[in-house]
Amino acid sequence: MELIVAKNYFDMSRKAANIISAQMILKPDSVLGLATGSTPVGIYDQLVEWYQKGDLDFSRITTVNLDEYRGLSPENEQSYHYFMMQHLFSRVNLPAEKHFLPDGMNPDSDAECRRYKGIIDSLGGTDLQLLGLGHNGHIGFNEPSDSFARDVHLVSLTEQTIEANKRFFASADDVPRQAYTMGVGTILQAKKILLAVSGAEKAKALQQVMSGPICPQVPGSVLQLHPDVIIVADEAASALI
Ligand code: GLP
């Protein structure tokens, strides 16, 4: 694992965006694994700015997102579909048929897991997977648990995650209790992984991810097993490293 320490959120966003743009320039038909949450917003803003300047081209890129809430449609402002449209997809020349997320509205969850896994497999996995980090060490929506889930699966969100994510909803009661997520096996299949972390409240989780035991109670710790992980963390998040 390689740690790049950034001065602050803005610097973290630029450094992480630089790594994604290098990937896009070196391989214009890259499959990018994308993430949601507040951490990647600055990264997407930076990529959009470089696209607008003519430095980046998304026309041959394909994207697959990590996760989506079950029960939210793409039109729902709290869905990750909506988030991605708002922060990236509608602002760059990424063809509509080349971005993928789990379908939160599929009534058959097993079928949805199979469908989404099939899409990722048919693309040959991701060239670069962008990840954020949950306060409890989760990646995607792989919550702390007694075992690792390998493939795309449906999860029940922990109280801590519902609490952390309620800021995007009218109240905690409105946060969906379930979500689809890539499994840790899916994430580890990425050729390269870019973990972006910001803020003092993530410092403990980042310490556990980087130097704690590899265990499903800290899902991000599994990244220690991957041969090519770059962590871009601001000074506050890397304070315990
Ligand atoms: C959500 C997402 C994760 C994300 C995490 C951290 O639960 N499913 O992919 O990494 O939140 O979000 P934030 O960046 O807002 O702290």
Side-chain angles (χ1 to χ4, degrees), residues 35-40 66-67 80 131-135 138-141 161 165 167-168 202:
T36 52
S38 42
T39 307
L66 280 168
D67 46 16
Y80 286 166
L131 296 176
L133 186 63
H135 297 84
H138 77 223
I139 48 174
F141 266 134
T161 296
N165 290 0
R167 66 191 192 278
F168 300 112
K202 301 280 179 74

Side-chain angles (χ1 to χ4, degrees), residues 172-183:
D173 288 344
D174 295 310
V175 184
R177 267 38 189 175
Q178 291 184 308
Y180 294 103
T181 183
M182 289 186 192

Side-chain angles (χ1 to χ4, degrees), residues 3-240:
L3 173 66
I4 297 171
V5 179
K7 284 193 283 294
N8 50 35
Y9 178 79
F10 181 72
D11 188 33
M12 180 214 72
S13 301
R14 280 179 67 90
K15 284 183 162 63
N18 261 303
I19 292 165
I20 296 173
S21 70
Q23 172 70 39
M24 291 174 62
I25 291 164
L26 288 167
K27 188 170 184 246
D29 60 349
S30 288
V31 178
L32 301 179
L34 298 181
T36 52
S38 42
T39 307
V41 169
I43 300 173
Y44 296 146
D45 285 344
Q46 186 61 76
L47 292 174
V48 169
E49 192 183 316
W50 287 331
Y51 162 74
Q52 287 168 344
K53 283 184 178 158
D55 289 344
L56 284 181
D57 176 17
F58 287 78
S59 63
R60 294 171 60 204
I61 295 291
T62 304
T63 70
V64 281
N65 261 78
L66 280 168
D67 46 16
E68 176 61 289
Y69 289 112
R70 188 178 192 203
L72 299 193
S73 72
E75 296 74 36
N76 187 306
E77 291 183 16
Q78 274 73 42
S79 73
Y80 286 166
H81 265 98
Y82 194 94
F83 174 101
M84 291 307 303
M85 287 305 295
Q86 188 187 18
H87 290 286
L88 186 68
F89 299 161
S90 69
R91 303 164 77 195
V92 297
N93 65 335
L94 177 69
E97 69 280 8
K98 292 180 76 175
H99 52 75
F100 299 96
L101 287 95
D103 175 4
M105 298 306 283
N106 190 337
D108 183 340
S109 57
D110 289 341
E112 182 52 26
C113 293
R114 281 195 303 276
R115 185 193 73 86
Y116 200 56
K117 179 186 185 312
I119 289 171
I120 298 165
D121 288 348
S122 71
L123 293 168
T126 59
D127 291 298
L128 174 67
Q129 176 67 57
L130 173 64
L131 296 176
L133 186 63
H135 297 84
N136 57 9
H138 77 223
I139 48 174
F141 266 134
N142 291 277
E143 294 281 36
S145 138
D146 292 333
S147 61
F148 288 116
R150 188 180 62 181
D151 291 322
V152 176
H153 60 290
L154 184 67
V155 288
S156 296
L157 303 181
T158 63
E159 280 308 315
Q160 192 180 0
T161 296
I162 291 167
E163 197 53 32
N165 290 0
K166 74 175 185 194
R167 66 191 192 278
F168 300 112
F169 294 80
S171 75
D173 288 344
D174 295 310
V175 184
R177 267 38 189 175
Q178 291 184 308
Y180 294 103
T181 183
M182 289 186 192
V184 293
T186 329
I187 292 170
L188 289 179
Q189 276 168 21
K191 295 183 184 71
K192 184 186 267 300
I193 294 177
L194 172 60
L195 174 66
V197 196
S198 171
E201 71 281 4
K202 301 280 179 74
K204 184 75 190 157
L206 182 59
Q207 181 192 41
Q208 290 177 325
V209 163
M210 290 189 71
S211 49
I214 299 167
C215 60
Q217 289 78 18
V218 183
S221 64
V222 80
L223 298 177
Q224 293 177 39
L225 296 172
H226 193 280
D228 191 358
V229 177
I230 302 177
I231 300 170
V232 183
D234 61 19
E235 285 175 2
S238 46
L240 301 177

